Amino acid sequence: MPREPLSFESAITATDFSSEDYCGTTYAAKLLGLSVATVQSLVEKGEIEAWKTLGGHRRLSLRAINAYLQKHSPQLAHADPDPRSRLSVLVVEDDEAARELYKAQFEQWDMTVDCSFMNSALEALMDIASMRPDLLITDLNMPGVDGLEMLRALKRNQQLSAMQILVISGLPEDVVKERGGLPPSAHYLEKPINFDWLHGYITALLVANRKWR
């Protein structure tokens, strides 16, 4: 009988909980050498421990992934799910075509990046405190709560003070300033997305991540 992942409340209140001990289904699939659908099936069968965020996104236990590798695919057991060796990225983008572009690029790049995707700022606000990404990539113009409102709310959360922020938007920079501007530490890139620049930026963050963690 399929087993639902742990609830957000059960996971977050566990004494040994750490957001760095979990990853998304896409990254888990990369570690395991399986499809995302197969990983989701393993979660439903209870073979890999997982929980759901408030927004309904699965997060998988890195320890459980390691155990599964050792048991079923020892040839892949050299894969290193240590959170210090990976960069956790959250992309917030309401345009489906843009999200698919991001996904295609991240899948092509041979990088230890655990990337999650959300289609609204409201959804991100629900989950970001528990996910604690190293890097937030966000659009600004989104229905409901827009990216600027989200960034203002995140600025008040001290737990996210080390998070890097990259804004990639179709809004001209002068319009962004007129609407209150970005946090001082945020980087701004105007659309269309320059994926060569993004690749270099993430590569630099990975190097810094390994050095300072």
Side-chain angles (χ1 to χ4, degrees):
M1 180 179 177
R3 192 182 81 173
E4 276 296 301
L6 296 172
S7 69
F8 174 83
E9 290 81 6
S10 335
I12 204 77
T13 56
T15 54
D16 62 345
F17 172 79
S18 168
S19 59
E20 291 189 342
D21 292 336
Y22 293 81
C23 69
T25 52
T26 302
Y27 188 69
K30 188 173 183 178
L31 286 175
L32 292 164
L34 302 170
S35 69
V36 172
T38 301
V39 170
Q40 290 172 342
S41 175
L42 290 171
V43 169
E44 289 169 0
K45 292 174 183 175
E47 294 188 38
I48 296 179
E49 178 190 3
W51 58 278
K52 281 186 178 179
T53 65
L54 289 172
H57 295 269
R58 283 185 174 90
R59 307 296 291 169
L60 284 76
S61 163
L62 288 165
R63 287 188 292 264
I65 289 170
N66 251 342
Y68 187 90
L69 280 171
Q70 292 290 345
K71 183 177 179 181
H72 298 282
S73 303
Q75 72 276 14
L76 296 177
H78 64 275
D80 182 10
D82 186 332
R84 290 172 296 181
S85 70
R86 81 186 201 275
L87 192 77
S88 175
V89 180
L90 173 60
V91 177
V92 184
E93 170 62 71
D94 68 310
D95 183 77
E96 185 177 359
R99 285 198 309 275
E100 291 304 316
L101 274 176
Y102 277 116
K103 288 177 184 177
Q105 291 295 321
F106 278 109
E107 285 172 5
Q108 285 177 23
W109 296 339
D110 185 21
M111 306 169 91
T112 51
V113 174
D114 175 13
C115 195
S116 299
F117 298 88
M118 295 183 183
N119 59 16
S120 75
L122 183 60
E123 187 179 11
L125 284 171
M126 284 194 296
D127 286 346
I128 198 167
S130 62
M131 295 174 74
R132 296 188 195 178
D134 300 305
L135 170 64
L136 168 65
I137 301 175
T138 184
D139 193 6
L140 293 179
N141 261 351
M142 290 182 276
V145 178
D146 68 16
L148 286 166
E149 291 176 90
M150 175 183 69
L151 292 176
R152 282 193 283 270
L154 295 179
K155 188 179 177 182
R156 299 190 290 269
N157 190 329
Q158 290 302 309
Q159 292 180 323
L160 300 171
S161 59
M163 180 178 69
Q164 300 294 308
I165 299 172
L166 175 60
V167 173
I168 303 181
S169 172
L171 283 179
E173 202 162 2
D174 57 341
V175 175
V176 175
K177 289 178 181 176
E178 287 172 9
R179 291 173 56 179
L182 302 175
S185 58
H187 299 280
Y188 178 82
L189 195 65
E190 195 166 332
K191 286 183 177 179
I193 306 164
N194 184 334
F195 282 109
D196 288 335
W197 184 93
L198 183 60
H199 183 275
Y201 177 74
I202 290 178
T203 299
L205 284 183
L206 273 166
V207 171
N209 202 42
R210 293 188 185 109
K211 183 177 179 181
W212 295 112
R213 271 193 174 182

PDB file of all heavy atoms in Angstrom, residues 27 31 62 65-66 69 76-86 112 210:
ATOM      1  N   TYR A  27      17.173  16.219  -7.566  1.00  0.00           N
ATOM      2  CA  TYR A  27      18.547  15.952  -7.133  1.00  0.00           C
ATOM      3  C   TYR A  27      18.686  14.512  -6.663  1.00  0.00           C
ATOM      4  O   TYR A  27      19.691  13.851  -6.929  1.00  0.00           O
ATOM      5  CB  TYR A  27      18.937  16.924  -6.024  1.00  0.00           C
ATOM      6  CG  TYR A  27      20.398  16.855  -5.638  1.00  0.00           C
ATOM      7  CD1 TYR A  27      21.383  17.288  -6.521  1.00  0.00           C
ATOM      8  CD2 TYR A  27      20.790  16.356  -4.404  1.00  0.00           C
ATOM      9  CE1 TYR A  27      22.718  17.234  -6.176  1.00  0.00           C
ATOM     10  CE2 TYR A  27      22.127  16.292  -4.053  1.00  0.00           C
ATOM     11  CZ  TYR A  27      23.096  16.736  -4.939  1.00  0.00           C
ATOM     12  OH  TYR A  27      24.421  16.676  -4.601  1.00  0.00           O
ATOM     13  N   LEU A  31      21.314  11.594  -7.946  1.00  0.00           N
ATOM     14  CA  LEU A  31      22.176  10.794  -7.080  1.00  0.00           C
ATOM     15  C   LEU A  31      21.962   9.300  -7.288  1.00  0.00           C
ATOM     16  O   LEU A  31      22.908   8.518  -7.290  1.00  0.00           O
ATOM     17  CB  LEU A  31      21.911  11.137  -5.609  1.00  0.00           C
ATOM     18  CG  LEU A  31      22.434  12.469  -5.066  1.00  0.00           C
ATOM     19  CD1 LEU A  31      21.956  12.659  -3.634  1.00  0.00           C
ATOM     20  CD2 LEU A  31      23.944  12.533  -5.138  1.00  0.00           C
ATOM     21  N   LEU A  62      18.646  12.540   2.836  1.00  0.00           N
ATOM     22  CA  LEU A  62      19.926  12.181   2.218  1.00  0.00           C
ATOM     23  C   LEU A  62      20.497  10.907   2.835  1.00  0.00           C
ATOM     24  O   LEU A  62      21.129  10.101   2.156  1.00  0.00           O
ATOM     25  CB  LEU A  62      20.915  13.337   2.375  1.00  0.00           C
ATOM     26  CG  LEU A  62      20.615  14.563   1.505  1.00  0.00           C
ATOM     27  CD1 LEU A  62      21.396  15.764   1.994  1.00  0.00           C
ATOM     28  CD2 LEU A  62      20.928  14.286   0.052  1.00  0.00           C
ATOM     29  N   ILE A  65      18.780   8.077   1.164  1.00  0.00           N
ATOM     30  CA  ILE A  65      19.288   7.908  -0.205  1.00  0.00           C
ATOM     31  C   ILE A  65      20.611   7.153  -0.172  1.00  0.00           C
ATOM     32  O   ILE A  65      20.846   6.233  -0.967  1.00  0.00           O
ATOM     33  CB  ILE A  65      19.450   9.284  -0.883  1.00  0.00           C
ATOM     34  CG1 ILE A  65      18.076   9.884  -1.183  1.00  0.00           C
ATOM     35  CG2 ILE A  65      20.253   9.162  -2.182  1.00  0.00           C
ATOM     36  CD1 ILE A  65      18.112  11.329  -1.622  1.00  0.00           C
ATOM     37  N   ASN A  66      21.487   7.511   0.758  1.00  0.00           N
ATOM     38  CA  ASN A  66      22.764   6.807   0.911  1.00  0.00           C
ATOM     39  C   ASN A  66      22.554   5.332   1.208  1.00  0.00           C
ATOM     40  O   ASN A  66      23.224   4.457   0.649  1.00  0.00           O
ATOM     41  CB  ASN A  66      23.566   7.450   2.047  1.00  0.00           C
ATOM     42  CG  ASN A  66      24.762   8.216   1.519  1.00  0.00           C
ATOM     43  OD1 ASN A  66      25.170   8.005   0.396  1.00  0.00           O
ATOM     44  ND2 ASN A  66      25.300   9.101   2.328  1.00  0.00           N
ATOM     45  N   LEU A  69      21.422   3.510  -1.873  1.00  0.00           N
ATOM     46  CA  LEU A  69      22.548   3.306  -2.787  1.00  0.00           C
ATOM     47  C   LEU A  69      23.406   2.127  -2.337  1.00  0.00           C
ATOM     48  O   LEU A  69      23.789   1.277  -3.150  1.00  0.00           O
ATOM     49  CB  LEU A  69      23.412   4.570  -2.848  1.00  0.00           C
ATOM     50  CG  LEU A  69      22.920   5.716  -3.741  1.00  0.00           C
ATOM     51  CD1 LEU A  69      23.765   6.959  -3.524  1.00  0.00           C
ATOM     52  CD2 LEU A  69      22.948   5.306  -5.207  1.00  0.00           C
ATOM     53  N   LEU A  76      27.117   2.945  -7.483  1.00  0.00           N
ATOM     54  CA  LEU A  76      26.859   4.387  -7.448  1.00  0.00           C
ATOM     55  C   LEU A  76      27.118   4.983  -6.069  1.00  0.00           C
ATOM     56  O   LEU A  76      26.921   6.166  -5.853  1.00  0.00           O
ATOM     57  CB  LEU A  76      25.396   4.670  -7.845  1.00  0.00           C
ATOM     58  CG  LEU A  76      24.970   4.296  -9.262  1.00  0.00           C
ATOM     59  CD1 LEU A  76      23.491   4.568  -9.437  1.00  0.00           C
ATOM     60  CD2 LEU A  76      25.776   5.066 -10.293  1.00  0.00           C
ATOM     61  N   ALA A  77      27.584   4.163  -5.160  1.00  0.00           N
ATOM     62  CA  ALA A  77      27.709   4.607  -3.774  1.00  0.00           C
ATOM     63  C   ALA A  77      28.772   5.675  -3.573  1.00  0.00           C
ATOM     64  O   ALA A  77      28.871   6.261  -2.509  1.00  0.00           O
ATOM     65  CB  ALA A  77      28.002   3.420  -2.865  1.00  0.00           C
ATOM     66  N   HIS A  78      29.553   5.968  -4.623  1.00  0.00           N
ATOM     67  CA  HIS A  78      30.534   7.047  -4.500  1.00  0.00           C
ATOM     68  C   HIS A  78      29.860   8.417  -4.571  1.00  0.00           C
ATOM     69  O   HIS A  78      30.466   9.428  -4.266  1.00  0.00           O
ATOM     70  CB  HIS A  78      31.578   6.939  -5.616  1.00  0.00           C
ATOM     71  CG  HIS A  78      30.996   7.137  -6.985  1.00  0.00           C
ATOM     72  ND1 HIS A  78      30.413   6.111  -7.692  1.00  0.00           N
ATOM     73  CD2 HIS A  78      30.887   8.245  -7.764  1.00  0.00           C
ATOM     74  CE1 HIS A  78      29.982   6.568  -8.856  1.00  0.00           C
ATOM     75  NE2 HIS A  78      30.247   7.855  -8.926  1.00  0.00           N
ATOM     76  N   ALA A  79      28.586   8.447  -5.000  1.00  0.00           N
ATOM     77  CA  ALA A  79      27.879   9.729  -5.053  1.00  0.00           C
ATOM     78  C   ALA A  79      27.852  10.339  -3.654  1.00  0.00           C
ATOM     79  O   ALA A  79      27.559   9.655  -2.681  1.00  0.00           O
ATOM     80  CB  ALA A  79      26.455   9.523  -5.559  1.00  0.00           C
ATOM     81  N   ASP A  80      28.161  11.610  -3.574  1.00  0.00           N
ATOM     82  CA  ASP A  80      28.308  12.260  -2.274  1.00  0.00           C
ATOM     83  C   ASP A  80      27.125  13.182  -1.994  1.00  0.00           C
ATOM     84  O   ASP A  80      27.061  14.283  -2.520  1.00  0.00           O
ATOM     85  CB  ASP A  80      29.604  13.065  -2.256  1.00  0.00           C
ATOM     86  CG  ASP A  80      29.855  13.729  -0.910  1.00  0.00           C
ATOM     87  OD1 ASP A  80      29.116  13.409   0.045  1.00  0.00           O
ATOM     88  OD2 ASP A  80      30.765  14.556  -0.825  1.00  0.00           O
ATOM     89  N   PRO A  81      26.178  12.742  -1.157  1.00  0.00           N
ATOM     90  CA  PRO A  81      25.036  13.589  -0.851  1.00  0.00           C
ATOM     91  C   PRO A  81      25.288  14.539   0.314  1.00  0.00           C
ATOM     92  O   PRO A  81      24.363  15.146   0.829  1.00  0.00           O
ATOM     93  CB  PRO A  81      23.941  12.579  -0.502  1.00  0.00           C
ATOM     94  CG  PRO A  81      24.683  11.433   0.088  1.00  0.00           C
ATOM     95  CD  PRO A  81      26.039  11.403  -0.554  1.00  0.00           C
ATOM     96  N   ASP A  82      26.542  14.623   0.784  1.00  0.00           N
ATOM     97  CA  ASP A  82      26.870  15.549   1.870  1.00  0.00           C
ATOM     98  C   ASP A  82      26.419  16.957   1.485  1.00  0.00           C
ATOM     99  O   ASP A  82      26.811  17.472   0.427  1.00  0.00           O
ATOM    100  CB  ASP A  82      28.390  15.536   2.088  1.00  0.00           C
ATOM    101  CG  ASP A  82      28.816  16.346   3.299  1.00  0.00           C
ATOM    102  OD1 ASP A  82      28.100  17.310   3.646  1.00  0.00           O
ATOM    103  OD2 ASP A  82      29.860  16.022   3.881  1.00  0.00           O
ATOM    104  N   PRO A  83      25.600  17.609   2.316  1.00  0.00           N
ATOM    105  CA  PRO A  83      25.095  18.932   1.966  1.00  0.00           C
ATOM    106  C   PRO A  83      26.190  19.965   1.729  1.00  0.00           C
ATOM    107  O   PRO A  83      25.982  20.932   1.010  1.00  0.00           O
ATOM    108  CB  PRO A  83      24.226  19.318   3.172  1.00  0.00           C
ATOM    109  CG  PRO A  83      24.645  18.420   4.271  1.00  0.00           C
ATOM    110  CD  PRO A  83      25.092  17.150   3.614  1.00  0.00           C
ATOM    111  N   ARG A  84      27.373  19.742   2.300  1.00  0.00           N
ATOM    112  CA  ARG A  84      28.450  20.704   2.098  1.00  0.00           C
ATOM    113  C   ARG A  84      28.978  20.674   0.673  1.00  0.00           C
ATOM    114  O   ARG A  84      29.654  21.608   0.242  1.00  0.00           O
ATOM    115  CB  ARG A  84      29.586  20.418   3.091  1.00  0.00           C
ATOM    116  CG  ARG A  84      29.247  20.739   4.528  1.00  0.00           C
ATOM    117  CD  ARG A  84      30.312  20.273   5.479  1.00  0.00           C
ATOM    118  NE  ARG A  84      30.438  18.820   5.471  1.00  0.00           N
ATOM    119  CZ  ARG A  84      31.289  18.136   6.230  1.00  0.00           C
ATOM    120  NH1 ARG A  84      32.076  18.777   7.048  1.00  0.00           N
ATOM    121  NH2 ARG A  84      31.315  16.821   6.167  1.00  0.00           N
ATOM    122  N   SER A  85      28.713  19.586  -0.065  1.00  0.00           N
ATOM    123  CA  SER A  85      29.245  19.468  -1.416  1.00  0.00           C
ATOM    124  C   SER A  85      28.231  19.895  -2.476  1.00  0.00           C
ATOM    125  O   SER A  85      28.512  19.805  -3.663  1.00  0.00           O
ATOM    126  CB  SER A  85      29.680  18.025  -1.684  1.00  0.00           C
ATOM    127  OG  SER A  85      28.543  17.179  -1.781  1.00  0.00           O
ATOM    128  N   ARG A  86      27.058  20.343  -2.062  1.00  0.00           N
ATOM    129  CA  ARG A  86      26.057  20.730  -3.046  1.00  0.00           C
ATOM    130  C   ARG A  86      25.551  22.136  -2.768  1.00  0.00           C
ATOM    131  O   ARG A  86      25.730  22.677  -1.691  1.00  0.00           O
ATOM    132  CB  ARG A  86      24.884  19.752  -3.036  1.00  0.00           C
ATOM    133  CG  ARG A  86      23.854  19.983  -1.936  1.00  0.00           C
ATOM    134  CD  ARG A  86      22.817  18.862  -1.927  1.00  0.00           C
ATOM    135  NE  ARG A  86      21.585  19.245  -1.261  1.00  0.00           N
ATOM    136  CZ  ARG A  86      21.380  19.167   0.053  1.00  0.00           C
ATOM    137  NH1 ARG A  86      22.348  18.740   0.848  1.00  0.00           N
ATOM    138  NH2 ARG A  86      20.232  19.519   0.571  1.00  0.00           N
ATOM    139  N   THR A 112      26.723  19.819  -8.896  1.00  0.00           N
ATOM    140  CA  THR A 112      26.053  19.287  -7.703  1.00  0.00           C
ATOM    141  C   THR A 112      25.104  20.360  -7.154  1.00  0.00           C
ATOM    142  O   THR A 112      25.368  20.991  -6.124  1.00  0.00           O
ATOM    143  CB  THR A 112      27.088  18.883  -6.636  1.00  0.00           C
ATOM    144  OG1 THR A 112      27.993  19.972  -6.422  1.00  0.00           O
ATOM    145  CG2 THR A 112      27.844  17.643  -7.053  1.00  0.00           C
ATOM    146  N   ARG A 210      31.939  25.173  -1.041  1.00  0.00           N
ATOM    147  CA  ARG A 210      32.825  24.105  -0.572  1.00  0.00           C
ATOM    148  C   ARG A 210      33.924  24.665   0.329  1.00  0.00           C
ATOM    149  O   ARG A 210      34.370  24.003   1.270  1.00  0.00           O
ATOM    150  CB  ARG A 210      33.466  23.409  -1.766  1.00  0.00           C
ATOM    151  CG  ARG A 210      32.458  22.639  -2.626  1.00  0.00           C
ATOM    152  CD  ARG A 210      33.163  21.804  -3.673  1.00  0.00           C
ATOM    153  NE  ARG A 210      32.203  21.176  -4.569  1.00  0.00           N
ATOM    154  CZ  ARG A 210      32.038  21.538  -5.828  1.00  0.00           C
ATOM    155  NH1 ARG A 210      32.725  22.534  -6.337  1.00  0.00           N
ATOM    156  NH2 ARG A 210      31.140  20.929  -6.587  1.00  0.00           N
TER     157      ARG A 210
END
